[in-house]
Amino acid sequence: MIEKIHLSVLREISRNGSLTAAANRLHLTQSALSHTIKKLERQINVSLWLKDGRSIRLTEAGQYLLEQANRLLPQFERMDDTLKQFANHETGSLRIGMECHPCYQWLLKVVQPFLAQSPGVDIDVKQKFQFGGMAALFNYEIDLLITPDPINKDSIVFEPVFPYEQVLVVSVDNKLAALKQQQHITPQQLCDQTLLTYPVETARLDIFQQFLLPAQCMPKQHKTLESTDIILQMVAANRGVASLPKWLALDYAKTLPLHIIRLGRSGIYKHIYIGYRKQERSNRHIQTFIQLAKRSNSLGSL
């Protein structure tokens, strides 16, 4: 009863906001698009949308079907792409999801040799997911998920790639940098600082979950920025402090006036993991990428 075209119509209406725009995207006439949905509504005996002036409002049933469209259509599209690759004698593609904002510099060190070893394989990197990285992996939106926070699922394999230490980065002009004899910082010392982080929910920020909140401390201000370069330029200008992987901080400290301090006496240590669907354990492109990623683990010793 439900066909791919029905899901595509609802998704395009949600994306474009009108029947006309959705029809253009699907290369249909507006009347053909309306007829397709009306026929489905008669079959299921429920309305999927209501017209509100020039706009369209999905009913509860329509919203449910839209959610299923967002989940299922990427899988159909993945199958279509794979069949096209077979028809064109292409090698394939690898879609990588990133839940590690500061890992792009590391990723480039892996992508370069991967492309050299895998002629014909295209790489795409996604960072924003509608339902999160794990859902994107389940729903075939991506093939690999790079994350410091793996979630145990029977159908997903997570392989550790390299360890790293999470540190505090401050300007050499910051008062914390003046304490040369101090090898680590306490949570209380951040209470009068502006903390700069990526736009990630606090529940997934290690500096909050493993350092500040257990000590019932909060920074004076918390600001979010998307760019690693901008964050560290702000830190260098003494506009705030940031918590980043030590290997990345050391790299930027070569050209910027930055000082690196351990978070707590014992430090905060993490791993980068690569996750993939268990059924694709034998996928040659995935295994090649993982092996190259593991060879880059010299970064983790910094």
Side-chain angles (χ1 to χ4, degrees), residues 75-198:
Q75 298 184 41
F76 282 113
E77 290 160 359
R78 176 62 168 164
M79 287 188 286
D80 290 342
D81 289 342
T82 301
L83 291 174
K84 288 177 182 177
Q85 289 162 10
F86 283 130
N88 296 330
H89 304 288
E90 296 174 351
T91 314
S93 63
L94 198 62
R95 297 166 301 167
I96 302 170
M98 295 284 287
E99 285 189 335
C100 175
H101 281 73
C103 287
Y104 277 101
Q105 287 85 342
W106 164 80
L107 180 62
L108 293 176
K109 298 178 186 296
V110 182
V111 167
Q112 184 177 8
F114 176 83
L115 292 175
Q117 290 188 27
S118 309
V121 181
D122 294 331
I123 282 186
D124 186 21
V125 178
K126 298 178 182 291
Q127 186 172 347
K128 295 182 179 179
F129 316 103
Q130 184 169 0
F131 301 110
M134 280 294 289
L137 196 55
F138 273 115
N139 294 336
Y140 291 78
E141 295 176 44
I142 57 176
D143 303 303
L144 295 175
L145 177 64
I146 297 175
T147 179
D149 302 304
I151 300 175
N152 292 327
K153 294 290 183 182
D154 290 340
S155 58
I156 302 296
V157 177
F158 278 101
E159 295 199 26
V161 177
F162 67 83
Y164 66 94
E165 181 181 1
Q166 193 81 356
V167 296
L168 188 75
V169 187
V170 305
S171 166
V172 294
D173 295 325
N174 190 289
K175 67 178 185 179
L176 297 176
L179 304 174
K180 298 293 184 182
Q181 74 283 2
Q182 183 172 314
Q183 299 300 312
H184 68 274
I185 190 174
T186 65
Q188 291 76 15
Q189 287 176 288
L190 289 184
C191 291
D192 62 348
Q193 296 283 337
T194 296
L195 180 63
L196 306 176
T197 73
Y198 298 105

